Amino acid sequence: MNYSDLLVQGLVEGCIYALIAVGLTLVYGLLRILHIAHAGIFTLGAYVGLLLTNETGSFAAAFVITIVAVGFFGMAFYRLFYEPILNKPPHVALIASIGLFVAMEEIYRLIFGATSISFLAPPLKDTVEVAGVRLEEGRIVVVILAVVLIGGLALLAGRTRIGIAWRATVSDAAMAESFGIDLARVRYINFFVASALAAAAGIMVALLLNQVIPTMGGVPAYKALAIIVLGGLGNVKGTLIAALALGVIESFGTIYLDRVLDRDAIAFAFLIVVLMIRPQGLFARR
Amino acid sequence: MYEISLLTVMSFSVIFALSLNLITGFCGQISLGHAAFYGIGAYTAALFTTDGGSFWLALPLAMAVAGFFGFIVGFASLRVRHDFLAITTMGVGFLFTGFVRQQEFLGGEEGIAGIPDPGIGQIPYMLLCAAFAAAVIAFSLYVKRSWMGQAFDAIATDEDTARTLGVDVARYKLTAFVFGTALAGLAGALFAHYVKFVEVESFDFIESISVLAMVIVGGIGSVWGVVVAAAFLSVLPLLLQVFADYKLLIYGVLLFAVMYFAPGGIDSLMRMLWRRISGRRTAE
Amino acid sequence: MDALLSISGVSVRFGGVDALADVGFEVAKGALLGLIGPNGAGKTTMLRAVTGMVRPQTGSIVLDGAEISRLPTHRRVRLGLGLSQQIVRPFAGMTAVENVALAAGYAKTADPLKALATASRQAERDRARTLLDLVGVADAADALPAELPLGYLKRVEVARALALDPKVLLLDEPLAGLNTSEAARLADTVVDLNRQGTTVVLIEHNLSEVMRVCRQLVVLDNGRKIGDGDPAEVMADPAVRDAYLGAASEAPGEARDAAA
């Protein structure tokens, strides 16, 4: 592989990380919860998307239905599990979230079985050449999705009432409430968006690997945690940069670091080095 | 014979859970990668005895090596707090498994098999493990009562205020990490010489969460609560096939349910029950 | 004058704001110094700079001949500082007496391994009870902080600082939340302690008590020192009256409520 291949592969991975991590950092920014169970929602998106595609035969339709449905699932998830414990000490939500995640993986195993499920007719598998690099169509779709979804969100956050309400709530919830912003609504929408993004990432990962297994959420989700810390917990721009950077670093790291560490540990090696130098992450909030 | 293996498993699980309780419970430093130190102890002891080293020397060696790495990771707790520390320690766990998988001398994905038997027989080995567990329980109870326990308690509650009372927070945290990880190393060495085979999966994130579940279910910082939780949770999968099949589901639900309904775990439930009983008695 | 605590040229910037700009003053051995100024003047920041909870960009802080401005908080405390914070920070899981006893055991907690070697706490508990009695809250000794009103917690906080046997006792608004007679009583206790040899730096909005007990005043305004010396003379200075009292009040006692 040459350098441009590695770079492009890394950026594609980075886009997937970004789709997962932006949701995590949104939740953290608003609620100060490390939402580990986000990984379970990612996996749910993969299952629902794959099964719907196999059922309907249309990847596009399945994709849209899945991200909306999983978005609503995320709202219900917040309502049922997080809202009642928001005012407890921070470790309570963290550990509860770990418990939920572990339980979710097991529930998937019980429902869908421990073995992998694949697409009957995997879509977007042709390769095309972009700027001298041969890429699967699916990978190009990942990049387009990341740009459209995250870019669209950024526009909405800047231009719409709900976007402004969301930003006000992130910077000071009590103040926002005193201005008449409905905090509960902002939180619901936040979970909808975060979960829909995770679902989108889940389907795309399912497509690229052409398989879904109960534990597929683990590794990308832990990396997403590392990414949001690197990005400065709650900082969306920092998270995006960290996601892309990690994708690229891993891509090159598999070539140069393979003897020492496996690919999945690189994120954390990078994370630990950065945190020891800059405890507030690469891009602190303030 | 079956009861012997149950008691053996129970014993090193109690040691492992109490070792995390020292760090997370007593000193308030959350760790999501504690299985790494269990693994370091297990691999150290396994390498040493498969190479012909004595089992008796392997134990202190495992503690020393795990404690040494614990000391280094402890520095992370000086730099970052709370959520950042949670993710950093989780990262340490992944670094451990990621490193071991790529190392031939650690057996890579296959692990290390053929770890020699300590050669003392099953019952004495069970008694040995139980004696270590008893010693670690006694040590934990003593630490809690000592001035070290007081200082830990202060750091766990509010480390900035602890500093204004002259507590050298950094040294206490490092001490907690060294003690806790060394004891995890001991548990790992005992585990390795019980199953006689170590592989990296035994020390992954799920294992870190399992031991955290023991501490949480028992009651963060409570010695007896954690002992009871570790004893039960470690042997239930061996006793009940249902529990073995759904072990992770049960752990997950337990972690969530305890945080949701009773953040104090078994310890606080027992206290509540006791208060109710003694309250009724005084009322009569 | 024999300075026990000597502060010079201390500047603290938060973001672009000067919380303290080149502030210095001397606290003589045995002094009872009132550090006053309007809200936001930098009084609490000054104490936090002295204890090392904020790092000044410039300046030197000398305690009993030792330069402490580069030392971590716990080292400074061990060299003889005792701090009672404005916002009380009791350890929630410990009773009042345990809170104070923890501070009283400072010799035992100096080193983790030494701390591990001893478990007996009777002497420190006894001393804690004596101190709680001294500040007038002996009846709260076995209560948990959550069960105590603010006026009690303030005094537990003072007792905890005293338990460190400090050379210099730093009190940040110890009288806030106390009623008039409680405040007068605690102020008298501070005077007694001072007579017995403890040097005291007192931040307080209760000006009537400040004027009654302090023998030296340092006035801060907007991060700058605008007065330093004999209380009556300092308060007579038009610049101080202007900055500190402003239009709020001519009678010192009422300034407290405005500031609280």
Side-chain angles (χ1 to χ4, degrees):
Chain A
M1 269 200 181
N2 61 34
Y3 290 134
S4 55
D5 279 340
L6 286 174
L7 182 67
V8 171
Q9 296 293 358
L11 286 174
V12 172
E13 284 293 319
C15 285
I16 293 173
Y17 295 155
L19 284 172
I20 307 171
V22 164
L24 265 186
T25 214
L26 288 179
V27 171
Y28 193 88
L30 202 59
L31 298 170
R32 291 280 173 280
I33 293 177
L34 276 181
H35 174 35
I36 310 245
H38 196 58
I41 292 178
F42 161 89
T43 309
L44 181 68
Y47 271 111
V48 175
L50 182 136
L51 292 174
L52 277 179
T53 306
N54 284 354
E55 203 64 38
T56 62
S58 162
F59 179 73
F63 182 89
V64 174
I65 295 170
T66 303
I67 66 170
V68 173
V70 174
F72 281 113
F73 177 84
M75 286 166 72
F77 195 88
Y78 161 72
R79 172 67 194 87
L80 277 177
F81 300 134
Y82 287 143
E83 203 176 64
I85 53 172
L86 278 185
N87 297 323
K88 300 216 172 143
H91 75 269
V92 169
L94 171 67
I95 294 166
S97 185
I98 294 172
L100 287 170
F101 170 55
V102 173
M104 280 167 101
E105 284 196 341
E106 283 301 291
I107 290 168
Y108 299 146
R109 186 169 67 90
L110 293 175
I111 298 177
F112 304 114
T115 50
S116 69
I117 311 181
S118 300
F119 285 94
L120 296 174
L124 302 173
K125 283 288 177 192
D126 295 336
T127 54
V128 288
E129 198 171 306
V130 183
V133 180
R134 291 204 68 77
L135 270 181
E136 239 176 76
E137 280 169 359
R139 294 188 183 270
I140 298 170
V141 172
V142 164
V143 176
I144 295 171
L145 275 176
V147 171
V148 170
L149 290 179
I150 296 170
L153 265 182
L155 277 179
L156 287 179
R159 302 263 170 91
T160 60
R161 268 183 62 86
I162 188 68
I164 291 160
W166 179 82
R167 285 191 304 164
T169 311
V170 168
S171 65
D172 188 339
M175 183 72 91
E177 198 170 24
S178 73
F179 278 115
I181 288 172
D182 181 356
L183 287 192
R185 188 155 156 254
V186 171
R187 287 172 180 158
Y188 281 129
I189 291 172
N190 194 65
F191 263 86
F192 180 89
V193 169
S195 306
L197 287 177
I203 307 170
M204 294 319 292
V205 169
L207 179 70
L208 295 181
L209 304 175
N210 193 23
Q211 67 162 1
V212 180
I213 50 170
T215 54
M216 68 181 283
V219 170
Y222 307 143
K223 284 187 199 165
L225 285 170
I227 288 166
I228 68 168
V229 172
L230 285 169
L233 288 170
N235 177 333
V236 176
K237 264 182 216 149
T239 299
L240 288 177
I241 298 170
L244 294 177
L246 181 67
V248 174
I249 288 171
E250 279 188 347
S251 177
F252 283 88
T254 42
I255 308 295
Y256 297 107
L257 285 173
D258 206 33
R259 277 162 193 280
V260 194
L261 275 180
D262 78 353
R263 178 184 174 113
D264 296 336
I266 292 173
F268 285 103
F270 183 45
L271 169 80
I272 290 168
V273 170
V274 169
L275 278 186
M276 293 306 109
I277 300 165
R278 273 182 69 85
Q280 66 278 45
L282 281 178
F283 315 96
R285 278 166 74 82
R286 279 178 278 274
Chain B
M1 282 301 116
Y2 185 56
E3 288 76 11
I4 297 169
S5 58
L6 288 188
L7 282 170
T8 314
V9 170
M10 206 186 261
S11 297
F12 52 68
S13 301
V14 164
I15 299 174
F16 186 29
L18 285 177
S19 76
L20 178 62
N21 195 39
L22 234 151
I23 300 172
T24 301
F26 290 5
C27 198
Q29 306 305 301
I30 189 150
S31 173
L32 300 182
H34 201 55
F37 302 100
Y38 190 50
I40 290 171
Y43 271 97
T44 304
L47 280 181
F48 186 71
T49 56
T50 44
D51 204 40
S54 136
F55 168 71
W56 302 106
L57 276 179
L59 297 180
L61 185 70
M63 290 178 76
V65 175
F68 170 75
F69 283 102
F71 181 68
I72 292 174
V73 173
F75 277 99
S77 77
L78 310 184
R79 294 286 286 170
V80 292
R81 290 191 202 178
H82 310 304
D83 293 340
F84 281 85
L85 183 63
I87 298 187
T88 305
T89 49
M90 179 195 276
V92 169
F94 279 97
L95 272 184
F96 173 75
T97 51
F99 178 80
V100 171
R101 281 207 174 92
Q102 305 302 100
Q103 305 312 311
E104 228 165 273
F105 79 103
L106 296 174
E109 298 275 0
E110 280 82 49
I112 301 174
I115 298 170
D117 192 272
I120 55 173
Q122 263 194 317
I123 294 178
Y125 192 73
M126 179 266 281
L127 291 174
L128 177 76
C129 291
F132 273 120
V136 174
I137 294 171
F139 178 71
S140 293
L141 289 170
Y142 174 76
V143 167
K144 222 179 156 172
R145 270 183 53 233
S146 74
W147 279 91
M148 181 186 253
Q150 286 285 296
F152 279 162
D153 198 8
I155 293 167
T157 317
D158 180 352
E159 62 175 81
D160 291 324
T161 299
R163 288 194 177 91
T164 69
L165 301 186
V167 175
D168 187 345
V169 171
R171 285 178 67 190
Y172 277 92
K173 279 189 187 175
L174 288 176
T175 309
F177 268 92
V178 170
F179 282 12
T181 54
L183 290 176
L186 171 67
L190 293 172
F191 163 77
H193 284 85
Y194 166 74
V195 293
K196 311 211 169 49
F197 166 63
V198 288
E199 61 175 340
V200 72
E201 266 71 42
S202 310
F203 314 105
D204 62 4
F205 181 64
I206 289 297
E207 189 61 26
S208 291
I209 296 309
S210 304
V211 68
L212 183 68
M214 293 172 184
V215 171
I216 299 289
V217 170
I220 301 171
S222 151
V223 176
W224 288 114
V226 172
V227 169
V228 170
F232 270 97
L233 290 177
S234 61
V235 301
L236 276 183
L238 306 178
L239 285 174
L240 298 170
Q241 191 54 40
V242 190
F243 195 99
D245 292 344
Y246 300 110
K247 179 180 153 191
L248 287 177
L249 181 63
I250 293 168
Y251 275 13
V253 170
L254 270 179
L255 276 177
F256 174 76
V258 168
M259 283 293 110
Y260 199 88
F261 298 109
I266 293 176
D267 183 72
S268 71
L269 289 177
M270 283 299 149
R271 274 171 212 275
M272 226 152 58
L273 199 67
W274 176 245
R275 233 174 285 141
R276 217 170 269 176
I277 295 167
S278 58
R280 198 170 298 154
R281 219 179 278 148
T282 43
E284 274 164 10
Chain C
M1 188 161 82
D2 189 6
L4 181 57
L5 178 66
S6 161
I7 298 161
S8 56
V10 167
S11 298
V12 175
R13 290 178 71 85
F14 293 130
V17 184
D18 278 319
L20 287 174
D22 194 24
V23 175
F25 57 89
E26 307 236 307
V27 184
K29 194 166 182 151
L32 203 173
L33 182 147
L35 181 60
I36 61 170
N39 273 353
K43 307 180 297 287
T44 296
T45 306
M46 189 73 239
L47 285 201
R48 292 173 71 84
V50 170
T51 52
M53 297 159 90
V54 298
R55 289 280 161 124
Q57 275 76 23
T58 61
S60 124
I61 299 160
V62 177
L63 174 67
D64 205 9
E67 170 66 52
I68 60 168
S69 59
R70 304 249 169 277
L71 298 179
T73 299
H74 67 92
R75 295 270 311 275
R76 301 187 195 197
V77 168
R78 288 186 180 279
L79 285 171
L81 295 179
L83 171 72
S84 157
Q85 301 194 67
Q86 181 187 6
I87 298 163
V88 290
R89 302 270 287 268
F91 296 112
M94 305 181 193
T95 61
V97 71
E98 283 168 346
N99 261 280
V100 179
L102 175 64
Y106 64 89
K108 291 178 176 168
T109 55
D111 177 78
L113 295 180
K114 229 166 81 188
L116 183 63
T118 55
S120 107
R121 291 213 279 277
Q122 202 48 51
E124 289 76 13
R125 284 222 175 98
D126 292 345
R127 167 121 171 88
R129 282 182 198 279
T130 312
L131 289 169
L132 287 171
D133 188 38
L134 184 71
V135 296
V137 291
D139 53 327
D142 296 310
L144 286 169
E147 302 159 355
L148 294 173
L150 181 65
Y152 271 70
L153 294 175
K154 292 294 279 195
R155 285 178 278 176
V156 172
E157 180 99 1
V158 172
R160 199 168 65 176
L162 281 172
L164 295 163
D165 299 322
K167 291 175 190 157
V168 181
L169 183 62
L170 309 167
L171 302 174
D172 194 348
E173 294 197 36
L175 308 184
L178 273 59
N179 66 33
T180 320
S181 67
E182 287 169 344
R185 192 170 155 213
L186 185 58
D188 287 341
T189 308
V190 170
V191 171
D192 281 345
L193 287 165
N194 176 249
R195 284 214 187 95
Q196 287 158 28
T198 308
T199 305
V200 180
V201 175
L202 175 69
I203 293 183
E204 193 44 65
H205 278 298
N206 185 338
L207 270 194
S208 58
E209 290 299 337
V210 169
M211 295 302 287
R212 186 167 74 84
V213 305
C214 293
R215 297 196 309 278
Q216 183 190 352
L217 285 188
V218 169
V219 190
L220 298 181
D221 182 36
N222 267 329
R224 283 172 175 74
K225 187 172 87 168
I226 57 169
D228 186 351
D230 175 75
E233 283 170 27
V234 168
M235 292 311 287
D237 183 340
V240 171
R241 296 195 77 84
D242 214 36
Y244 184 47
L245 299 172
S249 169
E250 291 299 305
E254 287 165 29
R256 186 198 155 213
D257 301 320

